[in-house]
Amino acid sequence: QVQLVESGGGLVQPGESLKLSCKFSGSIFRAYYMSWYRQAPGQRREPVAFISIADRTNYTDSVKGRFTISRDNPRSTVYLQINSLRPEDTAVYYCHAALAPVEFWGQGIQVTVSS
């Protein structure tokens, strides 16, 4: 069974940076499409960034130029580098792994941006 464990969240001030990590275990990491989602209070969960098995990436418009997703296959880890954080980036961030037709979610990690 695939397990995803996020780390790296916390409380930061506007303009600062964070790097989220998601450790994958239980299957062959390099075969999975990996994504980060986020869910702000009272909002629906939304996709933020995606990376394919060939390292192709895609981002939602609101984070382009500030967020960078990457993967390290030997370490079975996907990262989300978040720069120039804004209060509206405050959310629980979830790691997602997909290999059709199955998908898995991490437990989520809180990122709070506040002065």
Side-chain angles (χ1 to χ4, degrees), residues 39-94:
Q39 186 167 18
Q43 303 294 318
R44 297 174 63 180
R45 191 174 298 186
E46 63 170 357
V48 172
F50 163 86
I51 186 164
S52 75
I53 58 174
D55 281 350
R56 291 178 179 162
T57 59
N58 196 18
Y59 302 90
T60 193
D61 286 345
S62 63
V63 309
K64 284 180 180 177
R66 298 189 300 121
F67 288 24
T68 303
I69 189 171
S70 61
R71 65 191 298 160
D72 185 336
N73 288 340
R75 290 183 168 83
S76 298
T77 302
V78 62
Y79 303 99
L80 186 67
Q81 176 69 43
I82 311 175
N83 298 327
S84 302
L85 275 156
R86 305 168 179 170
E88 55 264 37
D89 295 319
T90 294
V92 177
Y93 284 71
Y94 295 91

Side-chain angles (χ1 to χ4, degrees), residues 7-39:
S7 62
L11 172 64
V12 296
Q13 294 190 347
E16 293 185 339
S17 298
L18 275 179
K19 187 172 186 176
L20 304 183
S21 300
C22 173
K23 177 67 174 177
F24 175 107
S25 63
S27 189
I28 301 172
F29 175 70
R30 65 180 182 271
Y32 283 74
Y33 292 77
M34 301 299 297
S35 302
W36 287 94
Y37 285 68
R38 67 185 179 185
Q39 186 167 18

